[in-house]
Amino acid sequence: LLGCGSLTVLYYLFPQLQLGRGLLTISAVSALALCVLVRALFFLVVDSNKLRRRILVWGNGTKAAEVVKNIQDSGLQKYLQVVGLVGPSPNLHPELPAELLMEIPGGLAQYCKQHKIDEIIVALDERRRELGGNLPLDELMDCKLSGIEVMNSLEFCEREIGRIELKSLDPSWMLFSDGFRYSGLRDATKRVFDILISLVLIAVAWPFSLLTALAVFLDDGTPVLYRQTRVGLNGKCFDLYKFRSMRKDAEKNGAVWAQKNDNRVTRVGAFIRNTRLDELPQIYNVLRGDMSFVGPRPERPEFVKDLEKQVPFYSERHRVKPGLMGWAQLKYPYGASVEDASQKLRYDLYYTKNHSLLLDILIVIQTVEVVLLGKGVR
C-alpha cells in the first residue's frame, strides 16, 4: 500500500517516468529475499528476551495464579516476562513458583524504574481486600504517572488473550468499562458488510448449494432443508435454515447436544458438515436480518433456558446479532456441554464488548483456515 501510494505521488510529480518490463517482479522478489535476510540478522544480533514486556503481578492468590497460567497456556512468554509477584498475604498459591515471590524494599515506583517494569497487573482475590489496605493506591498512582501501565487481571486477560474471564467479572465492570456501546454508524456499516458478503457468497456458492441439495435428496430423501428455532438478538427467536445432515428421526426424543462422531449424521451429512456446506442456507438468514455474517453462534432456546440458569452472564451474548462465524469458534473447539458453553462465553463476551468492522474482517479471514482444515467440526 505504501509502495502504490508512493508511486502515485511520484508519477504525479514526474509524469515522464516509466517502469520497465519485469521491474515489478524483480523488485518484489528482491524485497522478499531482503526481508527474510534482515529478519534473520535481526534475531541473530538482537536478544529477543530484551524485547519482552516486563510485568509485575500484585497478588499471590488464585487470580495471580490464573494470570501466570494464562500467560503460559497462551504462549505469551514470547512477549511477556513475569518478573515477580508481590503478595499482600504470606500464603502463596500452590500453583505459583516460590522463586517469583518478592518483597519491595523501597518505594514501588523506584523499584519499577530500577528493574524496568513495563506493567503492573493487580490480581487480588477479593475486591474488599483492595479497599481494606492491601492495595497501595498512592504507590500505584506514582507508577502510573511515571509511565508504568497499571491494570487489573480482567483487563489484562481481555487485551492479551481476547476473552473475558467469568470468574473475575462483575456487573459494575460491564456497565462502566470501555465497550458494550451502541453505535448507529457501526450497525449500519455492519449491515452493509453483511449484505455485500452474502451477495458475493450467493454468486459464488449457488452451484455448490444445488449439488448439496441433490446429494442430500439422493442419500436420504426429503426434506432437503432443515429448519430449527434459534435465539437471536435480544433473546428474540427466529427460524434458522440448514441443509439436513442428520436422519429424519434424529430428535424424536427431543433436543440433544451434537456429539463427536454423532451416529445420527448421514453419510452425505458428515461431508457437508466437514466442508461447512450445510450452513449455506443461513445466507438467507443474514439477508433477512435475523443473523449477521459475524457474531456469536445462535443457540437453541431449549439449551439457552438451562444455560442462563447455570452460566453467569450467558444472556449478555444476545446483545449482538448471532452470526455464521464467530470469535469463539476461532478460539475454542466445538463445545457440546454446559462447561463448553461457559468457556466459549468468555470469547463471545469479548466480541460483544469490542465488535467492530475491523474485528469482523479479521474473523472472516481467520475462518478461512478453519473451513479449509475442517477444525472444530461435529
Side-chain angles (χ1 to χ4, degrees):
L1 288 176
L2 289 173
C4 290
S6 301
L7 287 175
T8 301
V9 174
L10 193 63
Y11 289 143
Y12 181 80
L13 296 176
F14 305 99
Q16 69 275 13
L17 290 179
Q18 292 184 355
L19 275 179
R21 291 183 178 181
L23 187 58
L24 181 61
T25 302
I26 294 173
S27 60
V29 173
S30 302
L32 178 62
L34 288 172
C35 283
V36 173
L37 177 62
V38 170
R39 185 177 178 87
L41 289 174
F42 175 82
F43 284 108
L44 183 65
V45 175
V46 177
D47 183 5
S48 59
N49 288 328
K50 293 183 179 180
L51 300 178
R52 294 190 296 173
R53 296 203 306 277
R54 294 169 61 82
I55 291 176
L56 183 69
V57 179
W58 191 273
N60 59 353
T62 303
K63 285 188 179 180
E66 289 176 356
V67 170
V68 175
K69 186 175 185 300
N70 285 335
I71 292 175
Q72 294 173 347
D73 294 346
S74 303
L76 294 174
Q77 302 99 317
K78 299 176 183 178
Y79 321 106
L80 306 173
Q81 179 185 0
V82 179
V83 177
L85 305 165
V86 181
S89 169
N91 300 320
L92 182 68
H93 193 278
E95 295 182 5
L96 289 172
E99 62 270 15
L100 287 180
L101 188 63
M102 61 173 56
E103 293 183 2
I104 306 297
L108 181 61
Q110 182 180 359
Y111 174 87
C112 291
K113 288 180 180 179
Q114 290 177 349
H115 293 82
K116 298 180 179 179
I117 302 297
D118 298 302
E119 298 179 16
I120 300 175
I121 310 302
V122 179
L124 295 179
D125 288 342
E126 296 183 22
R127 186 167 181 81
R128 61 176 176 266
R129 278 188 174 184
E130 299 178 14
L131 302 176
N134 287 307
L135 193 64
L137 293 177
D138 290 339
E139 292 188 81
L140 288 175
M141 283 299 297
D142 290 339
C143 294
K144 192 169 184 178
L145 293 173
S146 300
I148 301 168
E149 192 166 359
V150 179
M151 64 174 59
N152 60 38
S153 57
L154 184 62
E155 293 172 337
F156 173 78
C157 185
E158 177 189 357
R159 186 193 69 187
E160 295 295 338
I161 307 177
R163 71 188 186 207
I164 295 177
E165 294 294 343
L166 299 180
K167 296 178 182 178
S168 305
L169 187 58
D170 61 80
S172 63
W173 180 85
M174 296 180 65
L175 184 61
F176 297 114
S177 66
D178 185 22
F180 297 109
R181 292 181 177 179
Y182 169 77
S183 171
L185 178 61
R186 181 182 60 195
D187 288 353
T189 306
K190 187 178 180 69
R191 182 61 181 152
V192 172
F193 175 78
D194 290 339
I195 293 174
L196 290 177
I197 295 293
S198 297
L199 293 176
V200 171
L201 274 181
I202 290 175
V204 173
W206 70 265
F208 301 99
S209 298
L210 291 179
L211 291 174
T212 302
L214 180 61
V216 172
F217 174 76
L218 293 176
D219 184 49
D220 200 39
T222 57
V224 171
L225 289 177
Y226 178 64
R227 184 173 66 181
Q228 195 176 71
T229 302
R230 297 291 179 101
V231 179
L233 179 65
N234 296 324
K236 182 181 178 181
C237 293
F238 68 96
D239 290 331
L240 177 141
Y241 295 91
K242 302 177 70 172
F243 284 119
R244 185 168 59 86
S245 59
M246 289 189 176
R247 302 192 309 266
K248 300 174 186 178
D249 61 348
E251 294 191 339
K252 59 183 178 180
N253 297 322
V256 294
W257 294 97
Q259 302 295 324
K260 189 175 183 179
N261 300 321
D262 202 319
N263 58 12
R264 299 173 299 164
V265 179
T266 63
R267 291 175 300 173
V268 170
F271 174 77
I272 63 176
R273 282 191 169 205
N274 282 322
T275 55
R276 298 298 202 281
L277 291 172
D278 63 321
E279 297 183 356
L280 286 177
Q282 293 175 44
I283 299 174
Y284 171 70
N285 290 114
V286 176
L287 288 174
R288 274 184 44 172
D290 298 325
M291 296 174 59
S292 178
F293 202 75
V294 179
R297 286 297 293 162
E299 196 51 83
R300 304 179 66 174
E302 300 92 333
F303 299 148
V304 169
K305 186 176 179 181
D306 292 333
L307 290 170
E308 287 181 343
K309 295 177 181 178
Q310 301 182 56
V311 182
F313 307 104
Y314 188 82
S315 61
E316 301 304 322
R317 72 194 296 273
H318 301 135
R319 301 290 185 181
V320 296
K321 281 185 181 181
L324 273 169
M325 56 188 69
W327 185 244
Q329 280 65 46
L330 288 175
K331 298 298 182 179
Y332 192 82
Y334 186 93
S337 66
V338 174
E339 175 60 26
D340 287 331
S342 176
Q343 296 297 323
K344 292 180 72 172
L345 179 61
R346 301 178 300 169
Y347 299 100
D348 285 335
L349 288 180
Y350 174 86
Y351 178 82
T352 303
K353 179 177 183 289
N354 301 290
H355 72 99
S356 64
L357 181 61
L358 183 61
L359 181 57
D360 285 357
I361 294 173
L362 175 66
I363 292 172
V364 170
I365 293 173
Q366 293 189 4
T367 302
V368 173
E369 178 189 1
V370 177
V371 174
L372 293 179
L373 300 182
K375 294 181 179 179
V377 176
R378 287 194 185 178

